[in-house]
Structures are given as C-alpha cells and as structure tokens.
Amino acid sequence: MDRLLNLLDENARLSTEQLAVMLGKTPDEVENAIAEYEKQGVIRGYKALINWEKVDQNKASALIELRVSPKRDRGFDEIAGRIMQFEEVESVYLMSGGYDLAVKVHGKSMQEIAMFVMRRLSTLDSVLSTATHFILTRYKDGGIILSSEDEKDERRSVLCD
Amino acid sequence: MIDYQSMLNDEVKQLKPSGIRRFFDIANEMDNVISLSIGEPDFSTPWHVRQEGIKSLEDGKTWYSPNRGFMELREEICRWLKRHYRVEYEPKTDVVVTVGGSEAIDLCIRCLVSPGEEVLIPEPSFVCYRPLAEMAEGVPVTIQTRQEDKFRLTAKALREKITPKSKLLILPYPNNPTGAVMRRADLEEIAEVVKEHNLMVLSDEIYSELTYGETRHVSFASIDGMKERTIVVNGFSKAFAMTGWRLGYAVGPKEIIGQMTKLHQYGIMSAPTMAQYAAIEAMKNGDGDIDYMREQYDMRRRLIVDGLNAMGLTCFEPEGAFYVFPCIKSTGLTSQEFCEKLIYAERVAVVPGDAFGECGEGYLRVSYSYSIKHITEALSRIRHFLKTLN
Ligand SMILES: Cc1ncc(COP(=O)(O)O)c(C=O)c1O
C-alpha cells in the first residue's frame, strides 16, 4: 500500500472514502492499513503545513550546525536525545560531512533563538561548537511551495483557438 | 479595397469555427475560474527527457533533421512499438516523424482521400478529422457511438454507413472526449468489415499509453491482416507529457508513408530537431515515467468518476485518455446551457459534449489532468451547483 502513504504524504486530509476510491479498496481496508501503519510507527502523526509568516510576524527560525564529541558506546544518540527534548527544537539530524548534528530551531525572534543557542545548546557538555544560520525566507517547505503567488496554470484550451 | 472574401479559398471559408469559442471567451474574462477543460497533461516533461533537449541546444545541434526524422529516433520508435504493442515496422521506410500527431493525421487524410471519397468518423471524437477531411475534398460521414455500447464503434454501426464511396475509417481510440477504449474483440469485428469493403484505416492511438485497469491498449495494426491497411498515428504529447515539443509520428505501409513523407517534405521539411533528441531519450528510458503518470491519472480518474456518479451525473466508466464524459440529461439542460450556467454560478469550466459531434449533446467532457486538490475543489463546486438547480 505504498500508494496510500504517497497520497497521505501529499495530503493527509483526504477522507477514508476518497482514499478508498482512488486506491480501489474498501474504506475498511484503508482504515485498517492506516491503523497498521500507525501501530508500526510508519505514520508518526498528522499536521498542517502552515505558512506562519502569513499570520504571525513574530516568528523566527534557524538551522544550527553543531559539532559534538560522540560518547563511547552511545555515539551521537545521547546528545541528540537531549537536544530533541527542547521545545524550541523542531528537527534534529545526524549529518555526514563537516559537522555532526543539524538542528532546526524556532522562536519568537532571532534574539530569542540566539539566547537559546548561547544558554542551552552551547553549554551542553559534548557540544564543541555551534554555527547558527537564520532562515530569512521559506520558499518551499515539506515539499510544498510557500511563496505567495500560486503557481499559474499556463495551459491553454487550444481546442478552440 | 481588396475584397478578401473573394480571395479566400471556398473550402476554408466553409470550415465551421469551433462552436465553443464564445464559451471560452467567457471563462477567460473571469477571475477565480477553476477549470476541468484542458486536454493536455499537467505534468511537465520528465526531467531526463528535457535534459536531452537542452543538451542538444548546448551542443549546437540546431540544424534541420532528415525529412523522415532522425534514423535513431525512427529505430527507437520501432523498438518501442514492438515492445509495447507487438507490431513490427521498418525504420527506414515505414515511419515518418511529424509535427505532433496532428500533422500525421493531416498528411494521412490528404494522401489517402480523393475528392468525393467518404471518410468515416466515429463521434464523439477529437475535432480535427472532419475539417481536415473537408480540406482534402473528402466527404465526412459521421458514425454516432452510444453510451450503451460504451462509446465503442460497433461493426453494425460501421456497416450502416458504408457506401461504394467509403474510403477511410478513422479509429479514434482511446477516445477523446469519452475515454472509451476498443478491446481486441471489438477491433476484430471492425477488421472484418474493413476487409470486406476494402477500406483503409487511420488509427489515432495518441492516448495508447493511457489506459486503466488490467487490459492494455491493443493497436489496430496488430489485428490479423490490418497492418497493411492501417496508418497508426501516435506521438509524444500525451504519453510523455510533451505537448509543447510538437512531435508525433505515423507508421504504416511504406507506399503510403512514402507519399506522406513527400508532402511533409514540401510542407514542413522536418520535425523540430531539439524535440527529436529529447524523444529518443523518452523512447529509450521513459517507460517508468509513463507508469508513474498513468498511476496518478488512474487515482484521479477513480476519484472524479465516483464523485460525479455520487452527485447524480452518471458517467460510463472511462478506460482511457484523461477524460470523463458524464451524462447531464437528468438536469433537463443542454450541454451548452449547463456549461454556461456552471461557469457563471460556480466558476467551473468544463467542455460541452456537443463540441465533439452532435451525439455528444447531453454530455460534458471533464478532464482530470489536474491535481487531486484541484479536482476535489471543482467537484464540490459542481455538487453545490446541482443543488441550486433543483
Ligand atoms: C485524439 C487526439 N488525437 C491527436 C491529438 C494531437 O496531438 P499532438 O498533435 O499534440 O500529437 C490530440 C490532442 O489533443 C488528440 O486528443
């Protein structure tokens, strides 16, 4: 049922009936498949992709590159586990390349994020260095284009021209 | 003052302009119109295909191609047709690459039809066959197809229209606008009549890759004895989302393709070079793209058919192309009235069925070459419209 996941990935608000029709299944089959995916932890949640800049000017976010010293036995898991507890933290990734953890953080202002990095992140034991990059504009996020102009359909009805 | 009317060719003047133009003028002037009227893919051409087009420009390959099209492309077309439909053609002599399937249709009709000969055209169907037949001084003969027959052409309906002047049968399947397809058994019946009456066939298979369900498209040329009587028109527009590249082709008996090439040579010279390089890539490595797009269309198809049926606009299940053809007779409105009211009331644009022939009256052509979000919104507006009708 990969097609089910693809459909939900694009739009989690399609109704069970719509999904069933599109996939040629019964609504019960779809319900069961979704329940199973949730149980297995394949589907971890549903949320709206909101263009916050439109409703709230007091929002800032940043990508923070962290270099950390891994722990014997537990590697990066322990420090990642600590960092992801912070409410300000939206995502944590272990990276290949020049640094170790990429942390996406949001707050009310750049100032607030700067304080968070200074006071909470850089003071953690195994953190060696931080580099904070503020996000200025989000053009596309989670596969969805956020720029205010909707994409225009440039196709024409040649049939009648 | 020049009297331009006296300057113009009579046949051209007599061609009917498309009857739905006025309707589209309305749509174009309104804001916030949501359209289900477009007859081309909403996907962009697959990136690896576009890249080959770009590369050809970067490499400065900006010259004419051979009149018939690049040999490599003709070879790939033959391989592709063999792989997909088990029909075999000779790249050197049996293929001509054209400016869209459209040009191939025009060439074929002009090469086969002499003044006064009859061209059999099943309707509802794409709008170009009749005017092109008229320009060739042929006589278009309509064969009406019916929802009861799943809009397929039956041997019986064909037989009824045959006269000693019958020359060329157009086989427009998978069909725009109905979404009808012809199964092997249907084609075999038609083949009997074709043989019996010594007809030639133009099989417009431009939507051949877009069929849904278990059974794939059967090319008319693959039916016993039909290859020698059939010009198959196909192209890149629909299968590979390449409408703007303007590339198609015809395959058939070398005697006919040879004459079509002669006309093509004088009228067009050669199809676009850049598009041909891209098309070679599409033929070689594009099967996966087609599968992906077909699957997307299929999900939209199920959604829209279910949605329309649920609101009482019954549609026969379309099995090909990307159109649904719901019946609106229950509303008591004509196709034109329905479409006009719908666009004024709810700002949804669909095409009246009679644009594709008289027997399309009482139907709409609804395209699902749109995103699911777009389709869902349009459906809910149509649902609201129907409620206000009562
Ligand atoms: C049935 C049919 N045949 C042929 C064509 C022409 O396609 P092209 O000239 O882009 O290959 C179309 C386009 O809409 C069509 O619907």
Side-chain angles (χ1 to χ4, degrees):
Chain A
M1 282 276 258
D2 283 357
R3 287 192 298 158
L4 172 58
L5 290 179
N6 285 332
L7 284 172
L8 287 174
D9 190 31
E10 243 167 60
N11 181 356
R13 293 204 62 194
L14 291 168
S15 69
T16 305
E17 285 71 26
Q18 288 173 319
L19 290 166
V21 163
M22 284 190 275
L23 297 168
K25 309 269 175 197
T26 65
D28 277 350
E29 286 172 321
V30 170
E31 287 284 1
N32 290 340
I34 291 177
E36 187 59 26
Y37 279 133
E38 287 172 354
K39 208 172 96 199
Q40 291 170 355
V42 174
I43 295 176
R44 299 303 296 240
Y46 305 85
K47 60 187 280 192
L49 222 152
I50 294 166
N51 194 355
W52 280 112
E53 283 84 349
K54 280 219 156 169
V55 272
D56 186 356
Q57 296 304 314
N58 300 322
K59 276 245 167 206
S61 43
L63 262 175
I64 300 158
E65 299 172 2
L66 290 186
R67 297 208 305 119
V68 300
S69 48
K71 284 271 157 57
R72 185 189 285 267
D73 301 335
R74 299 213 48 207
F76 293 98
D77 293 355
E78 187 179 305
I79 180 73
R82 285 198 58 191
I83 290 172
M84 70 192 188
Q85 301 302 326
F86 293 117
E87 231 176 54
E88 293 87 341
V89 170
E90 187 181 301
S91 51
V92 182
Y93 305 117
L94 178 61
M95 309 297 287
S96 67
Y99 61 100
D100 305 309
L101 293 178
V103 179
K104 198 168 159 203
V105 168
H106 53 72
K108 287 206 182 65
S109 62
M110 292 194 190
Q111 183 64 17
E112 193 183 276
I113 291 176
M115 297 301 279
F116 170 76
V117 176
M118 247 163 31
R119 297 208 173 133
R120 316 295 292 272
L121 282 187
S122 55
T123 52
L124 290 170
D125 259 357
S126 38
V127 170
L128 301 172
S129 71
T130 67
T132 303
H133 307 279
F134 287 106
I135 292 169
L136 303 179
T137 302
R138 291 192 298 159
Y139 293 104
K140 186 175 182 183
D141 212 345
I144 291 186
I145 291 169
L146 299 177
S147 49
S148 52
E149 292 280 315
D150 270 339
E151 267 185 288
K152 245 184 50 218
D153 193 342
E154 290 177 23
R155 294 176 295 161
R156 324 196 54 234
S157 286
V158 282
L159 178 69
C160 25
D161 286 347
Chain B
M1 250 315 246
I2 301 176
D3 175 10
Y4 289 109
Q5 288 311 309
S6 71
M7 297 289 182
L8 284 160
N9 169 293
D10 287 334
E11 298 287 342
V12 173
K13 279 191 289 185
Q14 275 158 29
L15 289 185
K16 264 204 273 165
S18 166
I20 51 180
R21 186 167 193 148
R22 185 182 58 91
F23 172 74
F24 273 93
D25 289 343
I26 302 173
N28 283 338
E29 280 176 13
M30 281 187 180
D31 286 337
N32 192 23
V33 170
I34 179 160
S35 171
L36 294 177
S37 65
I38 297 286
E40 63 178 314
D42 60 320
F43 300 99
S44 301
T45 307
W47 178 241
H48 64 106
V49 175
R50 277 187 271 164
Q51 254 175 332
E52 288 304 308
I54 294 167
K55 183 167 176 301
S56 76
L57 292 181
E58 283 178 348
D59 293 348
K61 295 180 176 171
T62 54
W63 299 287
Y64 293 126
S65 77
N67 295 124
R68 286 173 186 270
F70 286 117
M71 188 58 188
E72 186 184 0
L73 176 56
R74 283 182 278 144
E75 283 169 354
E76 289 302 335
I77 288 170
C78 293
R79 267 186 217 124
W80 191 89
L81 287 171
K82 186 174 170 194
R83 187 163 82 240
H84 286 246
Y85 309 122
R86 291 188 225 109
V87 284
E88 295 198 37
Y89 289 99
E90 181 50 56
K92 271 206 184 68
T93 53
D94 304 351
V95 189
V96 58
V97 178
T98 54
V99 180
S102 301
E103 192 214 344
I105 294 169
D106 186 28
L107 292 177
C108 175
I109 293 176
R110 285 200 283 157
C111 283
L112 287 174
V113 179
S114 302
E117 288 183 331
E118 292 177 353
V119 180
L120 297 149
I121 307 174
E123 285 183 354
S125 62
F126 187 46
V127 291
C128 78
Y129 312 119
R130 171 177 291 273
L132 293 179
E134 284 171 354
M135 284 311 294
E137 294 182 56
V139 181
V141 175
T142 302
I143 311 174
Q144 301 199 335
T145 61
R146 303 174 313 162
Q147 178 161 6
E148 300 92 277
D149 302 321
K150 300 181 162 186
F151 290 109
R152 292 177 187 178
L153 176 64
T154 63
K156 180 166 173 286
L158 171 57
R159 271 211 176 84
E160 280 170 9
K161 295 291 175 151
I162 287 184
T163 75
K165 293 214 171 102
S166 305
K167 174 61 166 291
L168 176 66
L169 167 65
I170 312 277
L171 260 189
Y173 297 95
N175 185 272
N176 169 12
T178 62
V181 302
M182 294 280 278
R183 298 291 181 216
R184 177 173 292 279
D186 305 312
L187 294 174
E188 282 168 353
E189 268 189 26
I190 299 299
E192 283 306 311
V193 187
V194 165
K195 245 184 282 182
E196 213 173 289
H197 295 278
N198 194 28
L199 300 179
M200 293 298 294
V201 177
L202 190 181
S203 191
D204 180 352
E205 303 184 14
I206 197 95
Y207 288 102
S208 60
E209 282 304 298
L210 301 180
T211 64
Y212 312 103
E214 296 299 303
T215 324
R216 288 270 87 89
H217 174 73
V218 179
S219 175
F220 192 63
S222 71
I223 303 295
D224 219 18
M226 286 302 109
K227 193 183 148 194
E228 62 215 56
R229 294 183 170 275
T230 305
I231 308 300
V232 177
V233 169
N234 208 326
F236 300 86
S237 289
K238 317 290 174 170
F240 297 99
M242 291 180 72
T243 44
W245 299 77
R246 305 312 304 127
L247 205 69
Y249 55 88
V251 293
K254 62 175 185 294
E255 293 77 4
I256 294 167
I257 295 294
Q259 297 299 319
M260 285 169 61
T261 305
K262 194 166 71 185
L263 261 189
H264 169 79
Q265 177 185 330
Y266 290 129
I268 301 285
M269 297 275 276
S270 54
T273 295
M274 172 186 61
Q276 293 188 53
Y277 282 110
I280 291 170
E281 170 66 16
M283 294 266 102
K284 278 185 177 161
N285 300 312
D287 285 3
D289 302 302
I290 297 178
D291 290 343
Y292 170 76
M293 290 189 270
R294 181 196 295 121
E295 186 166 86
Q296 299 299 312
Y297 289 131
D298 190 20
M299 289 194 284
R300 301 164 179 188
R301 178 183 72 105
R302 290 160 180 277
L303 183 68
I304 205 162
V305 169
D306 182 76
L308 290 169
N309 276 326
M311 57 182 95
L313 296 185
T314 50
C315 3
F316 109 101
E317 168 138 10
E319 293 174 296
F322 34 60
Y323 311 103
V324 217
F325 206 60
C327 181
I328 53 147
K329 290 174 185 168
S330 63
T331 63
L333 300 174
T334 66
S335 300
Q336 298 274 347
E337 287 166 349
F338 188 100
C339 291
E340 205 165 298
K341 280 185 196 289
L342 178 61
I343 195 157
Y344 279 122
E346 297 288 336
R347 315 216 152 192
V348 177
V350 295
V351 184
D354 62 332
F356 306 93
E358 260 170 55
C359 60
E361 177 54 52
Y363 296 88
L364 308 174
R365 187 190 77 171
V366 180
S367 161
Y368 51 87
S369 181
Y370 291 91
S371 70
I372 287 169
K373 190 171 147 210
H374 186 103
I375 291 172
T376 317
E377 166 66 19
L379 283 175
S380 84
R381 291 193 192 185
I382 298 174
R383 193 176 303 115
H384 185 255
F385 172 70
L386 289 173
K387 282 209 188 105
T388 60
L389 273 188
N390 301 326

